[in-house]
Amino acid sequence: MNGLKVERVHYSMEDFMKENIVYAPTKNELKEATLKVLDKANCECTTKYINEQVSKVLKLSDDYLLKEDESGVGTEYNYRMRWIRTELKEEGKIKNTKRGIWRLSLI
């Protein structure tokens, strides 16, 4: 690799607080939390409810939740959650029963 050394940096929550770094959850963390929320609810849930509960499960900061996406139309969190639901739907794990309403798939 052209002699470049790549070093992974792992930050603790304390590092994030000290350095004013905003923690962004991984795709897998968002997927797992979404499935957990829907499983715990054991019923159909609105997009808003899912997003609120996932943010609580993952203890996401207000700084992250309010960060605008690149387009400036919404938040990065809501944008990522739209893709998380889309991927979970394509994987057959959740169903969109009607606009803005979601539930676990019956497998």
Side-chain angles (χ1 to χ4, degrees), residues 67-85:
K67 183 180 176 190
E68 281 189 25
D69 67 4
E70 291 180 13
S71 69
V73 175
T75 66
E76 179 180 314
Y77 175 66
N78 287 337
Y79 174 80
R80 290 187 68 205
M81 287 300 293
R82 279 192 298 275
W83 277 108
I84 292 302
R85 287 187 303 277

Side-chain angles (χ1 to χ4, degrees), residues 31-42:
K31 282 183 173 184
E32 288 174 18
T34 299
L35 293 172
K36 182 177 182 178
V37 165
L38 287 168
D39 184 48
K40 185 176 179 182
N42 197 27

Side-chain angles (χ1 to χ4, degrees), residues 24-33 80 83-84 87 91:
T26 66
K27 182 191 293 190
N28 283 337
E29 289 172 329
L30 291 171
K31 282 183 173 184
E32 288 174 18
R80 290 187 68 205
W83 277 108
I84 292 302
E87 288 181 19
E91 293 169 8

Side-chain angles (χ1 to χ4, degrees), residues 50-60 65 77:
I50 294 167
N51 288 0
E52 288 171 354
Q53 294 305 306
V54 167
S55 72
K56 288 178 184 177
V57 167
L58 296 177
K59 298 177 182 164
L60 300 176
L65 294 173
Y77 175 66

